């Protein structure tokens, strides 16, 4: 069983920055792709960014390209999402998730169905 715990959310003004963290336990962190998703009230859960196990491949939603950066520290079993130049439309609950692919799959998945373990989410609110 994998446990994922997100932290770092909060209230920030438009143009500000936040860094989300996702601490993993219960299974080897390295070897698995990871992703960040977000869900606003009344909307579907959408991919924000994803990263392969090797760090060699990343994916970003068009809406966050150039502003957000996904990274991972396998020694700390932690996934990060650096969010800069935040906008009110970034307001959502942010979730991290682990890929259900077999270990060492060197690609990235963008569909929520490709992920099996999820954190409880952290709220990000951007005021205008």
């Amino acid at each position: 069983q994998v446990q994922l715990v997100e932290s770092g959310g909060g209230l920030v003004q438009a143009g500000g920055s936040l860094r989300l963290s996702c601490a993993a336990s219960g299974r080897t962190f390295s070897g698995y792709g990871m992703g960040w998703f977000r869900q606003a009230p009344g909307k579907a859960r959408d991919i924000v960014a994803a990263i392969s196990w090797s760090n060699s491949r990343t994916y970003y939603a068009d809406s966050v390209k150039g502003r957000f950066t996904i990274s991972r520290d396998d020694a700390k079993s932690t996934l990060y999402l650096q969010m800069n130049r935040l906008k009110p439309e970034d307001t959502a609950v942010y979730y991290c998730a682990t890929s259900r692919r077999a270990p060492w799959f060197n690609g990235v998945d963008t569909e929520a169905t490709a992920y099996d373990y999820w954190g409880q989410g952290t709220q990000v609110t951007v005021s205008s």
Side-chain angles (χ1 to χ4, degrees), residues 63-83:
S63 59
V64 307
K65 278 180 183 177
R67 300 188 298 122
F68 291 11
T69 302
I70 189 172
S71 62
R72 61 189 297 160
D73 184 337
D74 287 354
K76 296 182 178 179
S77 297
T78 302
L79 178 73
Y80 301 99
L81 185 69
Q82 178 66 44
M83 305 186 295

Side-chain angles (χ1 to χ4, degrees), residues 19-103:
R19 188 175 83 153
L20 305 184
S21 299
C22 170
S25 62
R27 184 180 74 183
T28 301
F29 182 77
S30 60
Y32 291 88
M34 300 288 295
W36 284 101
F37 289 76
R38 66 187 181 186
Q39 187 168 21
K43 295 189 177 181
R45 188 172 296 190
D46 294 326
I47 184 78
V48 175
I51 188 167
S52 64
W53 72 269
S54 63
N55 266 324
S56 64
R57 297 190 181 189
T58 56
Y59 168 87
Y60 295 94
D62 287 343
S63 59
V64 307
K65 278 180 183 177
R67 300 188 298 122
F68 291 11
T69 302
I70 189 172
S71 62
R72 61 189 297 160
D73 184 337
D74 287 354
K76 296 182 178 179
S77 297
T78 302
L79 178 73
Y80 301 99
L81 185 69
Q82 178 66 44
M83 305 186 295
N84 297 328
R85 302 199 309 277
L86 282 160
K87 303 176 181 180
E89 50 263 44
D90 294 319
T91 295
V93 178
Y94 284 70
Y95 300 89
C96 64
T98 64
S99 172
R100 65 170 70 245
R101 296 270 194 176

